[in-house]
Amino acid sequence: MDFQEKLKEFFLRQYKDGLEKSNLFIAFEPIGCMIDELDPADPQSKTRANEQLSILAERLPAIQESMTFGSSRFTDIWETMVYSSTFRENLVADAEKEDYRKIFNQAKAETIAKLEQGKRASVVTATGSYYLVTGQPDAWYNKDASVWISKSFSQKIPEQVDEPDKPFRFDLKWKRIDQTKLSTSVQQQFEGLIKRNPAIEKTQWHESLAKQQLNMNLLQVKTQQIRRPAINFQVKPMLVSESKPLLIKPLLSKRLAMTQMLQQDKLLIQQQPEADRFELSFDYCMVNLRRDWFDRSLLNCSKLWYAKALEKNFFSNGMKDSSNEGELKCMTTAMILVKNLKISANWSTQDLAHSEESMSLGFFNIADSRINSKNELINPGIQALGWICEVFPALPSISDPILFE
């Protein structure tokens, strides 16, 4: 068994609702997304954590084991679907039409009311406004909270393994940026995250440099925030005049865009480690996402409506496979977090070099990490490793009868 498959099976068992429902699946980030560390003693830490979660939850995932995201935002497509939904006049006989119309109208009204409420409660960051998403347990962002559970894996020799505990193949690969394909424009676009050193011919991913760059650009960030239109908040906003200005969002959004670009443009080189006898441990936390502005009423009566000027299955065909190419095929419902990552093995000289150049080992983020004298590769920070996702039913179930039938 491959290690990725073994890890997937483990997290499926930990999900509180299980994955018995046929419309749920799990997928890992291509590179673990680092969560910016927060001070639990700071009264704004929970607000800032929820802002990070709101940004992450806006991404629209594809249906595959390695998580990829499109450029559209979840709430933008959701709004399009809700406001374009129209009652199917020819669905039922005239005697029952008004009863079904009332059901549809009520469902649409309830969904719009929740959306408008969520829009008023949106959080504003330097990169835009986001519908608020919160997580359970509340303390998921606190490294010292009691919500974390320890887990370890060991690559055992086959002849030493009992039948129920089958050995696994460690199939995680080093991922580093291919400097031969790295253009000047890309380096400029992600200044602070990518640094190319021609003296040693290495291209690396630098979290610390990104934070320094953001501090230098603080005045510009604050100016951008001031110029943005005001939003009527129902939750406490982050104010640009506070003594601790928010720098988390520009950094997080920049990292997400960087990872997506590296994947789409195939700028990563992957190489299998030469080491053996791997031992891997981490602390994990399963975070259930809560969107108070999200209403399922229209989903529950999806056969009562079509979307104006759109074809059948434009948003989703209801299938949990690659055939589902809809604009709103699924959404994230839970996040898998890990911290205190430690990987030890009989590393080769080549592995030592790769550890200094690589952004990740498989989906585990190891940026700014090195193999120490104890042969340990350590990243203590919190990273979003994967997601539990829900596939939407066929939406809409028919095409606009005026334009397509």
Side-chain angles (χ1 to χ4, degrees), residues 77-320:
I77 307 300
W78 179 249
E79 285 186 16
T80 298
M81 190 198 79
V82 170
Y83 286 103
S84 66
S85 61
T86 306
F87 179 66
R88 294 174 60 182
E89 295 288 345
N90 298 327
L91 178 64
V92 295
D94 291 343
E96 298 180 302
K97 183 175 295 185
E98 284 307 310
D99 292 336
Y100 281 101
R101 191 196 305 275
K102 288 180 181 178
I103 294 174
F104 166 76
N105 288 341
Q106 181 178 351
K108 184 171 182 176
E110 291 174 352
T111 305
I112 291 176
K114 283 285 189 72
L115 262 178
E116 293 301 318
Q117 181 182 1
K119 186 177 296 185
R120 290 192 296 271
S122 295
V123 293
V124 176
T125 75
T127 57
S129 61
Y130 297 84
Y131 281 72
L132 181 64
V133 179
T134 58
Q136 294 291 332
D138 288 335
W140 62 267
Y141 58 90
N142 185 349
K143 293 175 62 176
D144 300 321
S146 59
V147 300
W148 298 93
I149 303 173
S150 297
K151 178 62 181 176
S152 62
F153 297 89
S154 179
Q155 186 185 36
K156 300 177 181 179
I157 302 174
E159 55 266 23
Q160 297 179 351
V161 177
D162 296 332
E163 183 61 26
D165 189 15
K166 296 180 180 180
F168 62 86
R169 185 174 67 89
F170 195 85
D171 58 335
L172 304 184
K173 296 180 180 180
W174 301 110
K175 293 182 182 179
R176 58 187 177 87
I177 299 174
D178 186 352
Q179 61 179 345
T180 64
K181 298 181 179 179
L182 197 63
S183 65
T184 302
S185 62
V186 169
Q187 294 183 61
Q188 293 174 345
Q189 180 182 358
F190 296 102
E191 181 181 3
L193 285 181
I194 297 179
K195 181 180 180 181
R196 184 172 182 174
N197 189 336
I200 58 176
E201 287 300 316
K202 290 180 180 178
T203 304
Q204 298 176 323
W205 170 283
H206 287 266
E207 296 280 350
S208 56
L209 288 175
K211 294 176 183 177
Q212 293 173 12
Q213 182 68 28
L214 286 171
N215 279 305
M216 293 174 62
N217 294 333
L218 173 58
L219 180 59
Q220 180 181 356
V221 170
K222 292 175 68 175
T223 303
Q224 291 174 352
Q225 290 176 320
I226 293 172
R227 290 175 180 172
R228 294 190 180 277
I231 292 182
N232 181 20
F233 279 70
Q234 291 187 343
V235 296
K236 187 179 185 300
M238 290 301 301
L239 302 177
V240 296
S241 59
E242 291 178 346
S243 59
K244 293 184 179 181
L246 180 63
L247 297 181
I248 289 174
K249 296 294 113 27
L251 178 57
L252 176 61
S253 297
K254 199 172 185 179
R255 285 202 304 266
L256 293 175
M258 172 72 176
T259 302
Q260 183 174 344
M261 182 273 298
L262 291 174
Q263 287 290 112
Q264 290 181 346
D265 295 349
K266 299 180 180 180
L267 298 180
L268 292 175
I269 296 176
Q270 299 191 47
Q271 291 177 293
Q272 184 71 36
E274 297 178 352
D276 60 8
R277 296 179 181 270
F278 286 91
E279 293 187 3
L280 185 147
S281 63
F282 52 73
D283 301 327
Y284 72 91
C285 177
M286 305 287 286
V287 183
N288 291 287
L289 308 187
R290 179 174 176 178
R291 300 174 173 90
D292 289 339
W293 46 266
F294 181 77
D295 190 280
R296 293 181 174 272
S297 297
L298 280 178
L299 298 180
N300 296 335
C301 62
S302 59
K303 294 188 181 299
L304 293 182
W305 55 271
Y306 63 89
K308 282 186 177 179
L310 297 178
E311 291 185 275
K312 175 182 178 180
N313 298 339
F314 176 84
F315 298 106
S316 172
N317 67 4
M319 302 300 294
K320 192 174 66 175

Side-chain angles (χ1 to χ4, degrees), residues 299 302 315-319 324 328-329 390-395:
L299 298 180
S302 59
F315 298 106
S316 172
N317 67 4
M319 302 300 294
N324 194 341
L328 193 67
K329 58 183 74 68
E390 174 188 349
V391 178
F392 286 128
L395 299 171

Side-chain angles (χ1 to χ4, degrees), residues 15-19 23-26 53 57 59 61 67 74 133-136 286-291 294 296 330-336 386-392:
Y15 186 51
K16 74 177 186 65
D17 294 329
L19 287 187
N23 64 336
L24 297 178
F25 70 95
I26 185 172
L53 190 55
R59 299 179 297 169
M67 186 68 80
F74 173 79
V133 179
T134 58
Q136 294 291 332
M286 305 287 286
V287 183
N288 291 287
L289 308 187
R290 179 174 176 178
R291 300 174 173 90
F294 181 77
R296 293 181 174 272
C330 59
M331 72 173 182
T332 54
T333 61
M335 174 174 62
I336 301 170
W387 301 85
I388 305 294
C389 303
E390 174 188 349
V391 178
F392 286 128

